Amino acid sequence: MGGRGVGARRTGPYFCGIDAAMDVVGGKWKSLILWELAERGVRRFGELRRGLPGISEKMLIQQLRELEEDGVVAREIYREVPPRVEYRLTESGAALNAALEPLGAWGRRRIERIGADRVHV
């Protein structure tokens, strides 16, 4: 289960709903991108990159493309000079993010239990 290789597109068959969901959010960055967009709303590329310390430009581009292909992130290009590109959650992306909220709550309880510090951005 999990992420795709570069250029690979998985469309099933899936073993279960978790398998299908993990195909969309698998890996370290996708769920964090969804969280950033849900918490902060519409974001430009540079804003997303600053909000996700440690992600490379190449990785952010790849992850955004895959999330867009999966219909959970929408990209809007404004014909300006210089061009402005904004990203937002789609209705499906907002529903996916809501489905991840219990997982986030579980993670916060784990952080408290093991005494791990959170990264503040």
Side-chain angles (χ1 to χ4, degrees):
M1 281 191 290
R4 296 168 242 173
V6 175
R9 179 104 171 104
R10 191 166 166 211
T11 57
Y14 295 111
F15 298 109
C16 63
I18 294 291
D19 188 19
M22 291 306 295
D23 190 35
V24 176
V25 296
K28 176 179 180 176
W29 297 110
K30 288 182 180 179
S31 58
L32 295 176
I33 291 168
L34 293 174
W35 177 84
E36 179 75 11
L37 290 172
E39 288 292 307
R40 304 210 195 321
V42 175
R43 308 294 279 167
R44 294 176 73 173
F45 183 86
E47 293 170 324
L48 276 172
R49 185 144 184 235
R50 284 188 296 278
L52 300 166
I55 193 168
S56 70
E57 184 173 330
K58 178 181 176 183
M59 180 60 71
L60 182 55
I61 290 168
Q62 176 185 334
Q63 301 294 278
L64 285 168
R65 282 183 184 153
E66 289 181 10
L67 289 168
E68 189 178 5
E69 287 173 10
D70 288 321
V72 295
V73 169
R75 175 178 56 151
E76 187 164 355
I77 302 168
Y78 294 88
R79 305 289 180 210
E80 302 173 350
V81 178
R84 177 171 48 115
V85 179
E86 293 181 340
Y87 296 90
R88 65 170 176 79
L89 288 180
T90 63
E91 188 176 318
S92 179
L96 176 57
N97 206 49
L100 291 171
E101 284 178 12
L103 184 61
W106 182 90
R108 285 187 296 278
R109 288 189 302 273
R110 181 173 188 273
I111 288 168
E112 291 171 7
R113 189 178 78 248
I114 65 173
D117 294 328
R118 286 190 240 181
V119 175
H120 296 282
V121 285

